[in-house]
Amino acid sequence: MSIVPGVIASNIKKSSLLTGLLGNWNLNETTGTAMADSLGVNNLTLGGAGTVNNSGILGKAVYLNNNTTYTGYLKLPTNFSLNKFTGNSISVSMWILPAAAPTQLIDLWSLHNSGGGDRLYAQYDTTSKKIWFYCMPTTPAWNEYSTTDAITLSTTVWTHLGFSCGGIGTQLLIYVNGVQSATSIFTLGTAFAAVTGANDTFGNEFGSGAANALYGYIDDISIYNRALSAAEFGMLYNNGFGEQYPF
């Protein structure tokens, strides 16, 4: 058997994507509303106007038909909480494909403490065409956020989005298709509280039926309790082909 050093090095690098992984959802289900966590811990629930068994970037994908009803969402279980993010470090990775050119604000994901409280979330603003990454602490009551320059989301080619923060004193960063794309960058100055969350969703704000919901497809979501590097987001993007668990 021949040994290919480049392949071995590549596999070692990819194995780093398992470090700090809190959950991964490949969304390859063909029936039902329970979306399995690859780690077997925190299954997502598909609610409202959402369907499975759609073509994705990596196998199957979920379709959120939030064209007029705005009820489709993916929701984490209530035992998922912000205290899982050691030292306020977090990364989120996901693929999206809008079904049509977005005409309203899109809530990409939201991690929200029960009863209101602190919130981490990301949005696509159709007015400015910017992606926003927020940390919104309860006390003091202000938003800390970073944004990209104007970006047009393709309705024919999947877009990979990544978000990371390494904790207090580090930057809120946004990655688009494997490239660090935040241009207005905020350094996190306020910790978010470690309170159990009840409204943690993807594709819709709290799954509430709000108009600012994703109308389109979502695939392969991962959450980490650490800040991924630019190289690691590049591996997840993988030149537009994606990289699926177990990497």
Side-chain angles (χ1 to χ4, degrees), residues 10 31 41 44 61-62 83 91 117 121 141 146 160 166-167 169-170 187 189 207 212 226 236 238:
S10 176
T31 61
V41 180
L44 293 175
V62 161
N83 62 7
S91 292
Y121 65 106
S146 293
H160 182 258
T170 68
T187 298
N212 47 328
R226 67 180 182 89
L236 288 169
N238 191 22

Side-chain angles (χ1 to χ4, degrees), residues 129-132 146-151 174 176 181-184:
K129 296 189 180 299
K130 294 180 179 181
I131 295 172
W132 298 66
S146 293
T147 66
T148 64
D149 284 337
I151 294 171
I174 304 168
V176 179
S181 301
T183 53
S184 176

Side-chain angles (χ1 to χ4, degrees), residues 214-225:
L214 174 65
Y215 169 42
Y217 303 86
I218 186 168
D219 197 7
D220 209 74
I221 302 168
S222 296
I223 300 179
Y224 290 81
N225 67 355

Side-chain angles (χ1 to χ4, degrees), residues 22-170:
L22 294 180
N24 168 266
W25 300 270
N26 57 36
L27 306 181
N28 283 337
E29 283 74 17
T30 56
T31 61
T33 58
M35 307 292 104
D37 178 4
S38 299
L39 305 184
V41 180
N42 296 294
N43 291 349
L44 293 175
T45 299
L46 176 62
T51 63
V52 296
N53 201 28
N54 304 281
S55 295
I57 185 71
L58 293 160
K60 301 296 184 180
V62 161
Y63 173 54
L64 300 178
N65 187 14
N66 291 317
N67 188 19
T68 56
T69 58
Y70 317 121
T71 60
Y73 62 89
L74 288 163
K75 188 176 185 299
L76 278 161
T78 55
N79 64 349
F80 199 89
S81 61
L82 293 184
N83 62 7
K84 295 180 182 294
F85 303 111
T86 307
N88 292 265
S89 296
I90 180 175
S91 292
V92 176
S93 168
M94 64 194 302
W95 289 87
I96 64 168
L97 178 66
T103 58
Q104 74 242 359
L105 189 71
I106 298 175
D107 273 298
L108 298 167
W109 58 269
S110 176
L111 300 176
H112 194 285
N113 285 330
S114 58
D118 294 3
R119 182 182 174 200
L120 291 169
Y121 65 106
Q123 295 179 323
Y124 179 71
D125 179 12
T126 54
T127 300
S128 67
K129 296 189 180 299
K130 294 180 179 181
I131 295 172
W132 298 66
F133 177 21
Y134 289 89
C135 174
M136 191 170 72
T138 305
T139 306
W142 63 59
N143 289 339
E144 300 182 349
Y145 57 86
S146 293
T147 66
T148 64
D149 284 337
I151 294 171
T152 299
L153 293 177
S154 174
T155 58
T156 58
V157 178
W158 284 85
T159 298
H160 182 258
L161 299 176
F163 306 86
S164 76
C165 180
I168 298 298
T170 68

